[in-house]
Amino acid sequence: MAQEIVKYFDSKGIDFVMVSASQSGIERAKSDNYKVYNIDYHTDDDLEKFGIGSEVKTIFCLSNDFNRNLFFTLSARNLDKSLYIVSLVSNKEERDKMLLAGANKTIDPYAIGANQFFTLMKKPKLFLVLTDILYREKDIDLDQVTIGKNSKYIDIPFYHAKLEENYNIAIIGLYDAKREKFKYNIKKILRKVKEGDTIVVMGKKKDIAKFKKDLS
């Protein structure tokens, strides 16, 4: 995740400072020709040396070690109450702890769909940035497909449509525009497919393209 975000910032000309407390992290960054600094998260002096508490406005805590991200978030928040902090998590429990520690936003790569997807739909620029970071240079995509009036699945119950099996995709859920609600498991939805339904899917780009063609 850290490498993808750094590559994205670099490609867009966004200024950033990369720091790591682990030797393996430093070596990975150097192998990609990025300048990286060693940091001791446990000392305020080290954090302040890199601008936290003064000129730095946003930080990303992206270690694979949750405790490191948590401690860094706590320390940074203690130094600057207005700092915008984005932290990596891997489940709801970690997310709740990180938000309590002072993070403004969390990123869970395993659950970037669902509610986050529709929150981001209302902020399309932010959605494009995050999907670019998460899926760039990969053959996996996250997309929304709106059911068209000529779709062959109109009036077929969702649990009979077998969309995942037929198209080799993973369906994150269904957005009911009329009710403005998101439903996670379409296999448990008893009603029929209707024009205007929006389905959130993840899968290979070619499979999603075929899915779009048949449903639009």
Side-chain angles (χ1 to χ4, degrees), residues 2-69:
Q3 289 172 304
E4 294 299 327
I5 288 179
V6 167
K7 287 178 183 177
Y8 182 83
F9 285 171
D10 193 36
S11 70
K12 299 299 181 182
I14 299 172
D15 292 331
F16 63 90
V17 175
M18 192 173 182
V19 298
S20 178
S22 71
Q23 190 58 39
S24 60
I26 292 172
E27 290 173 359
R28 279 198 303 272
K30 287 183 176 178
S31 69
D32 288 331
N33 297 317
Y34 289 112
K35 191 170 185 178
V36 59
Y37 300 91
N38 181 257
I39 190 171
D40 182 356
Y41 299 159
H42 300 86
T43 66
D44 287 350
D45 288 346
D46 232 19
L47 298 180
E48 290 172 334
K49 182 173 67 176
F50 290 103
I52 296 174
S54 54
E55 66 264 29
V56 170
K57 303 303 178 186
T58 304
I59 63 170
F60 287 77
C61 303
L62 301 170
S63 171
N64 290 325
D65 185 327
F66 170 74
N67 289 328
R68 276 185 180 168
N69 289 336

Side-chain angles (χ1 to χ4, degrees), residues 71-197:
F71 192 87
F72 196 7
T73 297
L74 284 165
S75 300
R77 177 59 68 218
N78 185 55
L79 287 174
D80 188 346
K81 303 302 181 186
S82 63
L83 182 67
Y84 194 85
I85 304 173
V86 182
S87 294
L88 187 67
V89 299
S90 60
N91 55 54
K92 183 181 183 299
E93 183 181 354
E94 289 185 0
R95 183 198 68 188
D96 293 344
K97 288 180 180 179
M98 198 65 74
L99 293 174
L100 285 172
N104 298 90
K105 184 169 183 62
T106 61
I107 298 177
D108 181 352
Y110 306 104
I112 194 65
N115 280 341
Q116 290 184 19
F117 181 90
F118 284 101
T119 298
L120 294 171
M121 275 178 63
K122 297 174 184 177
K123 302 177 182 178
K125 289 184 179 179
L126 178 58
F127 172 71
L128 289 172
V129 168
L130 285 182
T131 51
D132 193 14
I133 289 170
L134 288 168
Y135 306 111
R136 78 194 312 251
E137 298 177 1
K138 297 178 184 178
D139 192 33
I140 300 296
D141 204 0
L142 177 72
D143 208 343
Q144 57 172 319
V145 180
T146 301
I147 306 296
K149 63 180 180 179
N150 297 319
S151 172
K152 64 182 181 181
Y153 289 99
I154 292 286
D155 288 333
I156 295 178
F158 274 100
Y159 59 90
H160 281 163
K162 296 183 178 180
L163 299 175
E164 291 182 318
E165 294 89 338
N166 291 340
Y167 293 94
N168 193 33
I169 56 173
I171 294 181
I172 306 299
L174 166 75
Y175 182 68
D176 188 328
K178 290 184 178 179
R179 297 183 180 182
E180 295 187 346
K181 288 185 177 181
F182 185 82
K183 299 180 180 180
Y184 295 92
N185 189 348
I186 70 166
K187 292 179 180 177
K188 294 183 179 180
I189 297 175
L190 300 179
R191 74 170 179 81
K192 297 177 181 180
V193 177
K194 298 293 183 184
E195 178 187 352
D197 286 338

